[in-house]
Amino acid sequence: MASRISCIFSIVLLSASTGGARADFTDGKLPDGTYHCEVYLLGLFLNLGDITIKGNVYTGPVTFGTAPQAYNYQMDANGVISWLGPLGGYTTGGNSISLTQATLDGQTTPSFDIIMKQPDGAFTASTCTKS
């Protein structure tokens, strides 16, 4: 009986320590990896490139080749991301970032949504999902 209780306690302790290792907004960063960005437009998913995250640094978005430079980003406790450098087509040609919101639910793949404001005042939303 004592060994059975010890075994159950070990399993509970292991699952608790594994669950605590998950990333969340309090870490102030996204899980490292490559995030594939797409927008749904006119019935099609359009590839907007890949953003690579490593620690508090990002590169991209890149469609072909490699990103020329890395930049820092910050994420607050609510999962709102501030990009501290350019973000490809999201920040060129009069476009600007209105909001970037991360989703780090333990049951789903990490992702973030980028809301871009276009020069004419219209907004476009895209989703970047960890590959």
Side-chain angles (χ1 to χ4, degrees):
M1 179 69 167
S3 67
R4 178 178 274 177
I5 292 172
S6 176
C7 180
I8 291 171
F9 180 76
S10 296
I11 291 171
V12 170
L13 186 61
L14 179 62
S15 65
S17 66
T18 304
R22 283 194 323 240
D24 62 14
F25 295 142
T26 59
D27 291 342
K29 61 183 180 177
L30 293 162
D32 289 353
T34 301
Y35 292 76
H36 180 71
C37 300
E38 294 181 324
V39 64
Y40 186 75
L41 187 64
L42 301 173
L44 298 172
F45 286 99
L46 302 176
N47 176 16
L48 298 177
D50 295 332
I51 296 175
T52 301
I53 301 288
K54 185 168 184 181
N56 285 51
V57 174
Y58 75 94
T59 57
V62 175
T63 305
F64 301 105
T66 59
Q69 186 174 348
Y71 299 94
N72 290 324
Y73 75 93
Q74 296 173 336
M75 185 170 69
D76 70 16
N78 295 316
V80 175
I81 299 171
S82 298
W83 306 102
L84 304 178
L87 198 61
Y90 292 105
T91 56
T92 59
N95 296 327
S96 61
I97 302 296
S98 178
L99 173 74
T100 304
Q101 177 65 53
T103 303
L104 298 176
D105 182 5
Q107 304 301 319
T108 61
T109 303
S111 66
F112 52 89
D113 295 318
I114 300 173
I115 310 298
M116 178 185 70
K117 184 176 181 183
Q118 299 170 355
D120 64 1
F123 291 89
T124 302
S126 64
T127 300
C128 302
T129 306
K130 189 173 180 207
S131 319

